[in-house]
Amino acid sequence: MGADSAGPIDEFGIPIIPNPVDVSQRKRQAIIDAAIVEFLREGYSAASMDAITSRSGVSKATIYKHFGNKERLFLAVIGGILPTTYADLEPWNSTIVEAVDLRSALITLTLDWTRILLRPDIMSLRRLVIGEIDRFPQLGQLWYRVSYDMNNGPLIEAFAELDRRGVLRVPDPALAVQQLVAATVGVPQLVRTFRPEAILEDAELTRMITSGVDLFLAGYTR
Amino acid sequence: MGADSAGPIDEFGIPIIPNPVDVSQRKRQAIIDAAIVEFLREGYSAASMDAITSRSGVSKATIYKHFGNKERLFLAVIGGILPTTYADLEPWNSTIVEAVDLRSALITLTLDWTRILLRPDIMSLRRLVIGEIDRFPQLGQLWYRVSYDMNNGPLIEAFAELDRRGVLRVPDPALAVQQLVAATVGVPQLVRTFRPEAILEDAELTRMITSGVDLFLAGYTR
DNA sequence: GTCTATAAAGTGATAGAC
DNA sequence: GTCTATCACTTTATAGAC
């Protein structure tokens, strides 16, 4: 048997030698994908490098070459997934200031946030991060920064502008945003945090969010 | 050496034979105390029965005689500590209906709740429970029932009564209580959940809670 | 970079004596 | 009920060949 009898060949029978960088990157991604599944399912400690190994399809030594140890793998995986997750929430903020119907705009915004944040995969990720914060404080810092800089931040600016324009009376925009989020997203999120299987019909969710926005506007409308 | 040369003796030199039930109960408590420390520090999976054994001072076999296995020990320990923790929150609810100054009463109530729930040991317990909910759904159910029946429940009744008396206009008292808790306790609790070491001065905390109560009253005062 | 094989330590749980 | 000693297994991590 010739040396070219193994591995893929092209249409002329010439062996295709994969670009090592691509292969390495692909394996790295396979490791990350497998690690996410295992960490979310088992938690940090109970997730085994063996299970991640067999799920990813690469060898254990390769995982250690790429990530060093289990802690670093965990931080890389969770740290990488967080910004991606929260990026879905961002685009809506800018519409608040110019909205002709502020109430509708706030309801739409917070309802969209809620629908994303209540997704079972995001709730599981959130529970995982919270449960590991005493061991990995960096993740708490990161989550806080990501969620606040990417979401609360722009909204704070919007409320400050609405205050300047005389639409609302918001002496402390940062606190106001925290209260708005708490009174809307926070209500069903708290329920689902402790009861993942709790049934929340869409009409019920809409009622919760609408009521929260109305409460907010009752307090902050000039 | 006589048989009575070992063990404690009373003032007449007569050996004190400990009541086996007392000894057994005391060991059981020692196990629970040690398990709480280890579970809170390490999480469920990373906490080892060896560590609980050496911390408790009893043998491993005794732990297994008492609790069967690690899961049952965990559930017994956390399930036992939860109602105790929340019992501190209960007594204040009844004062709301009869309060001459409702605003002050609500501020006092929610500020007291907040001070208790932000305690580092309770925050750690909360993170532990949240992190294990996917594996131990019973704990989520229990936490929810304990916190809602013992705290929100009486407050719901109080708001329903205040609605009947014409003091407030509360069409959905259950939702109103969730919003009040979210807009007060929930705000600093969310910060501390992800940033355990975050500095929250007392003045800042009071301002947050006061603002949340004012927001609530702006929305629900008749 | 990637693999197989294995080391070294720790895991939950139990048998058997008292 | 309680102990000591131990089992059977899994864990993270690495050595050495390619």
Side-chain angles (χ1 to χ4, degrees), chain A residues 85 116-127 143:
Chain A
T85 295
I116 292 174
L117 292 177
L118 287 194
R119 268 169 39 197
D121 59 324
I122 296 186
M123 289 298 303
S124 283
L125 177 65
R126 195 181 121 101
R127 285 189 213 100
W143 185 291

Side-chain angles (χ1 to χ4, degrees), chain A residues 2-151:
Chain A
D4 53 356
S5 68
I9 55 174
D10 70 7
E11 51 189 319
F12 306 107
I14 298 175
I16 298 171
I17 308 299
N19 184 332
V21 175
D22 288 357
V23 172
S24 185
Q25 286 295 89
R26 203 159 43 233
K27 298 212 174 193
R28 189 186 176 87
Q29 193 56 49
I31 295 165
I32 290 175
D33 292 342
I36 290 172
V37 174
E38 291 296 328
F39 282 134
L40 280 181
R41 178 176 304 174
E42 306 289 339
Y44 171 75
S45 296
S48 83
M49 298 298 272
D50 269 7
I52 295 172
T53 296
S54 62
R55 180 178 292 275
S56 67
V58 308
S59 79
K60 209 192 295 197
T62 301
I63 297 180
Y64 278 91
K65 282 285 178 190
H66 273 279
F67 295 95
N69 59 37
K70 190 182 179 182
E71 278 194 27
R72 293 170 63 86
L73 173 62
F74 183 66
L75 288 171
V77 164
I78 304 299
I81 202 178
L82 265 182
T84 312
T85 295
Y86 269 80
D88 296 343
L89 300 178
E90 212 178 1
W92 305 99
N93 290 320
S94 52
T95 63
I96 292 298
V97 172
E98 308 295 342
V100 288
D101 183 351
L102 181 60
R103 179 173 181 270
S104 296
L106 286 178
I107 290 172
T108 303
L109 176 72
T110 52
L111 200 51
D112 278 337
W113 283 15
T114 304
R115 291 220 175 86
I116 292 174
L117 292 177
L118 287 194
R119 268 169 39 197
D121 59 324
I122 296 186
M123 289 298 303
S124 283
L125 177 65
R126 195 181 121 101
R127 285 189 213 100
L128 173 61
V129 170
I130 291 175
E132 296 300 335
I133 276 179
D134 288 334
R135 262 95 43 202
F136 298 95
Q138 316 102 298
L139 286 185
Q141 299 275 359
L142 177 63
W143 185 291
Y144 195 83
R145 228 193 49 210
V146 166
S147 95
Y148 279 69
D149 288 2
M150 290 179 76
N151 294 281

Side-chain angles (χ1 to χ4, degrees), chain B residues 63-170:
Chain B
I63 297 181
Y64 278 90
K65 282 286 178 189
H66 273 279
F67 295 95
N69 60 35
K70 190 182 178 182
E71 278 193 25
R72 294 170 62 87
L73 174 62
F74 183 67
L75 288 170
V77 164
I78 304 299
I81 202 178
L82 264 181
T84 312
T85 295
Y86 269 80
D88 296 343
L89 301 177
E90 211 179 2
W92 306 97
N93 290 320
S94 51
T95 63
I96 292 298
V97 172
E98 309 295 342
V100 288
D101 183 351
L102 181 59
R103 178 173 181 270
S104 295
L106 286 177
I107 291 173
T108 302
L109 176 72
T110 52
L111 200 52
D112 280 336
W113 283 15
T114 304
R115 291 219 174 86
I116 293 174
L117 292 177
L118 287 194
R119 269 170 37 197
D121 58 324
I122 296 186
M123 289 298 303
S124 284
L125 177 65
R126 194 181 123 100
R127 286 190 211 100
L128 174 61
V129 170
I130 291 175
E132 296 299 335
I133 276 179
D134 288 333
R135 261 95 44 202
F136 297 95
Q138 317 102 299
L139 285 185
Q141 299 274 359
L142 177 64
W143 186 290
Y144 195 83
R145 225 194 52 211
V146 166
S147 94
Y148 279 69
D149 288 2
M150 290 180 77
N151 294 280
N152 288 24
L155 207 50
I156 290 170
E157 199 40 56
F159 284 147
E161 177 60 23
L162 287 170
D163 179 80
R164 283 191 292 270
R165 295 188 186 187
V167 179
L168 300 179
R169 193 178 53 81
V170 190

Side-chain angles (χ1 to χ4, degrees), chain B residues 27 59 61-62 65-66:
Chain B
K27 298 214 173 194
S59 77
T62 301
K65 282 286 178 189
H66 273 279

Side-chain angles (χ1 to χ4, degrees), chain B residues 43-64:
Chain B
Y44 172 74
S45 296
S48 83
M49 297 299 273
D50 269 7
I52 295 172
T53 297
S54 62
R55 180 179 291 275
S56 68
V58 308
S59 77
K60 208 194 296 199
T62 301
I63 297 181
Y64 278 90

